[in-house]
Amino acid sequence: MQKNKIYIETYGCQMNLADSEIIMGILQNSGYSITQQMEDANVVFLNTCSIRDHAEQRIYGRLGNLKAIKSSKPDMIIGVLGCMAERLRKELIEEKKIVDIVVGPDEYRRIPEFIDVAFNGGKGIGVRLSRTETYDDIIPYREDGLQAWIAIMRGCDKFCTFCVVPFTRGRERSRPLQSIVLEIEQLSRRGFREVTLLGQNVNSYQDEQNDFANLLAACAVVDRRIRIRFTTSHPQDFSDKLIYTIAEHPNICSHIHLPVQSGSNRILEAMNRTYTVEHYLISIEKARKIIPGVSFSTDIIAGFPTETEEDHQMTLELMKLVRYDGAYMFKYSAREGTKAFKMGDDVPDEVKSRRLQEIISLQQQISFEINQTLLNNEEIILVEGFSRKSNDFLSGRTDSNKVVIIPFDEKIKEGSYAKVEINRVTHATLFGEFIELGDPVTLNLALTA
Ligand code: 5AD
Ligand code: SF4
């Protein structure tokens, strides 16, 4: 009998992308095959996100499409995985009759068992959270490529009052340093050139005596041609040691994603973010002094409960002070079960929308101004392939995570490092001319000399 074919669709954060690769790894070990075409599959999974209501509504929309498909293909199994599975549990199966399997982030090992249950007409539900599961022994299923995700820790203990993650992903736990290093060695042999270390709060990484700075240093020396990125950092745990470690290694990218959420100390306290604007600014200043060319991005929420016009102005002021290279900006979305949910959702939607728009416009202006300062500069990019719009152009990214488009040149291969000169910019993209090829370490040294 032909084994089942699995199709998985991933929503939400990078952690979910990494989880989908772990899930595919588990399924492959159990003899299933993976398909990129939903029509070929008899098991369809949605790996879901609950961070904002909008994310969940998208999944409901998708389940509506799948209902139509299932009516013409009644043997097809449908599963909901990830944060939404954890949050809604049995409700999902009861409300959405087409859902056969519901599995939260810590029970992915049981998916093969649940598929069997579902094929026998039952419903498979696994939503227990674990204090120890890190899937450390699972080899994720990865297509060949340049860029890989590695989840180095799972869960979150911060309990920001707006956030469902501590409820959907459970307590913090870290993978052993040695196994992460081993995974990078394997990626190096396969020709990968960029690794992003992932965690809800990577600075809390802890493996015996090793903290996140130790882990970064150990990852950076595996293969100097591999760029190391990491996300997300929490401002409270952003240590001096970490700043020095980033500065010390040429292949640890000097781009730091440091979500601030709000520029008002009163709101930060209501969010339980555990830092003040002043403390946050000191970290930024230190990093700027110690890491040459460091760039920052952030997350900002507009319209948290009780946010006044004055609080909102403070957020805009903070953005002007820090001058982020980029930002992810959201309207506050009340999530049941969180502390903020009980505060009421008292900022009217049109006010949230207007504040969000002001935040976005300001950020675009700042990004454009920062990019303009790069005109005529030399930058080193890792070339990722053809640009999205045309095969006459190549696309790559700088150490600071900016996209650079250059004219196609046959000397440049995918995965090469190239020195380029920037000659045009927008708020989102840089354009340049190719100068020469090289490896990142010697090029970096040449540029800083
Ligand atoms: N509403 C809006 N944005 C949220 N985020 C997390 N929870 C919510 C919410 N309830 C944002 C935060 C976080 C990012 C991943 O998503 O800015 O840093
Ligand atoms: Fe959510 Fe805060 Fe944890 Fe980030 S640090 S996952 S925002 S609780």
Side-chain angles (χ1 to χ4, degrees):
M1 195 187 84
Q2 202 202 341
K3 255 297 197 187
N4 297 308
K5 275 199 177 165
I6 316 281
Y7 170 80
I8 177 162
E9 216 165 77
T10 308
Y11 295 81
C13 62
Q14 294 152 341
M15 194 59 122
N16 265 10
L17 291 171
D19 277 0
S20 287
E21 293 178 344
I22 288 170
I23 293 162
M24 290 189 280
I26 291 170
L27 288 166
Q28 235 188 2
N29 279 346
S30 308
Y32 294 94
S33 58
I34 312 292
T35 168
Q36 312 293 340
Q37 258 74 46
M38 197 175 81
E39 312 81 67
D40 298 343
N42 47 358
V43 181
V44 172
F45 285 129
L46 305 183
N47 191 6
T48 63
C49 171
S50 287
I51 198 100
R52 283 168 290 275
D53 184 55
H54 177 70
E56 291 194 347
Q57 294 312 321
R58 266 184 79 202
I59 311 282
Y60 280 130
R62 190 62 178 135
L63 285 173
N65 300 146
L66 291 179
K67 189 173 177 183
I69 297 169
K70 190 163 170 160
S71 63
S72 62
K73 212 176 156 186
D75 290 341
M76 187 168 91
I77 299 292
I78 295 177
V80 176
L81 313 177
C83 287
M84 207 169 149
E86 190 63 46
R87 200 177 84 78
L88 300 170
R89 302 166 172 231
K90 253 172 59 192
E91 225 177 288
L92 258 178
I93 282 190
E94 279 155 15
E95 267 178 30
K96 302 278 159 197
K97 299 268 179 290
I98 58 156
V99 176
D100 306 291
I101 297 175
V102 172
V103 190
D106 286 348
E107 295 236 65
Y108 294 148
R109 285 177 200 271
R110 294 180 65 199
I111 292 177
E113 171 196 330
F114 294 140
I115 294 176
D116 289 343
V117 170
F119 273 118
N120 287 312
K123 302 278 183 186
I125 306 178
V127 290
R128 254 177 318 183
L129 289 173
S130 156
R131 285 186 175 263
T132 53
E133 179 63 274
T134 60
Y135 301 107
D136 191 44
D137 56 317
I138 305 287
I139 300 172
Y141 171 93
R142 288 192 183 101
E143 304 277 336
D144 284 331
L146 292 179
Q147 197 273 343
W149 313 106
I150 301 186
I152 59 160
M153 54 146 354
R154 301 179 71 81
C156 183
D157 289 350
K158 291 281 182 229
F159 287 94
C160 300
T161 56
F162 51 78
C163 186
V164 286
V165 167
F167 306 99
T168 60
R169 288 187 167 273
R171 299 288 61 76
E172 274 173 9
R173 65 221 100 114
S174 300
R175 278 179 62 180
L177 178 143
Q178 211 42 53
S179 87
I180 297 166
V181 167
L182 212 71
E183 195 167 333
I184 299 180
E185 284 169 3
Q186 286 159 358
L187 291 168
S188 157
R189 284 195 286 277
R190 284 179 63 188
F192 280 79
R193 286 287 172 271
E194 183 174 300
V195 163
T196 308
L197 306 180
L198 293 178
Q200 246 65 44
N201 177 12
V202 287
N203 320 119
S204 298
Y205 176 87
Q206 194 66 46
D207 169 36
E208 293 174 353
Q209 63 281 44
N210 291 305
D211 60 12
F212 182 58
N214 297 130
L215 174 71
L216 261 186
C219 294
V221 296
V222 171
D223 178 347
R224 286 294 194 200
R225 294 167 305 171
I226 294 188
R227 276 182 171 173
I228 310 289
R229 297 190 186 277
F230 54 95
T231 195
T232 290
S233 302
H234 191 289
Q236 190 203 343
D237 310 317
F238 199 74
S239 70
D240 291 2
K241 179 176 168 189
L242 180 58
I243 296 177
Y244 282 106
T245 306
I246 298 169
E248 213 172 288
H249 297 268
N251 58 330
I252 299 180
C253 288
S254 55
H255 166 243
I256 300 166
H257 184 62
L258 201 61
V260 71
Q261 314 295 1
S262 168
S264 153
N265 282 335
R266 187 182 68 80
I267 295 291
L268 287 176
E269 193 175 346
M271 287 175 163
N272 189 33
R273 286 294 287 181
T274 69
Y275 54 83
T276 58
V277 168
E278 292 72 23
H279 169 263
Y280 182 91
L281 287 171
I282 289 171
S283 299
I284 297 261
E285 210 178 298
K286 261 194 206 155
R288 284 208 164 123
K289 255 196 214 136
I290 296 163
I291 309 169
V294 66
S295 71
F296 290 97
S297 59
T298 200
D299 293 345
I300 294 176
I301 297 177
F304 184 81
T306 77
E307 186 187 74
T308 61
E309 214 43 47
E310 207 184 346
D311 295 317
H312 168 60
Q313 289 303 326
M314 289 177 178
T315 298
L316 297 174
E317 283 311 309
L318 177 74
M319 292 170 70
K320 289 180 199 160
L321 272 178
V322 177
R323 295 181 65 79
Y324 295 102
D325 286 69
Y328 298 95
M329 300 155 280
F330 314 103
K331 267 201 270 188
Y332 170 71
S333 168
R335 310 309 289 134
E336 212 173 337
T338 61
K339 262 198 172 162
F341 189 79
K342 300 193 199 87
M343 298 177 198
D345 190 2
D346 62 350
V347 180
D349 192 58
E350 61 278 11
V351 175
K352 281 186 197 166
S353 296
R354 195 251 308 146
R355 289 182 188 165
L356 178 65
Q357 200 42 56
E358 288 176 11
I359 291 169
I360 293 172
S361 303
L362 175 60
Q363 183 52 49
Q364 285 185 349
Q365 184 196 330
I366 293 172
S367 297
F368 180 57
E369 286 167 7
I370 292 178
N371 287 351
Q372 274 182 317
T373 66
L374 300 177
L375 274 172
N376 305 320
N377 269 22
E378 287 182 358
E379 296 282 335
I380 294 156
I381 61 169
L382 172 61
V383 178
E384 293 168 357
F386 288 116
S387 86
R388 247 186 308 160
K389 292 192 184 142
S390 153
N391 284 4
D392 295 333
F393 293 89
L394 295 169
S395 169
R397 269 179 306 143
T398 64
D399 182 273
S400 60
N401 211 22
K402 290 179 190 292
V403 173
V404 183
I405 307 293
I406 54 170
F408 174 78
D409 187 315
E410 55 196 19
K411 284 195 287 302
I412 313 172
K413 301 272 168 293
E414 224 172 79
S416 317
Y417 283 92
K419 192 197 280 185
V420 299
E421 185 178 323
I422 306 302
N423 53 23
R424 186 164 76 83
V425 303
T426 69
H427 74 88
T429 314
L430 311 178
F431 299 84
E433 289 294 331
F434 169 61
I435 303 175
E436 62 173 333
L437 288 173
D439 77 273
V441 180
T442 44
L443 280 182
N444 253 340
L445 293 177
L447 279 192
T448 48

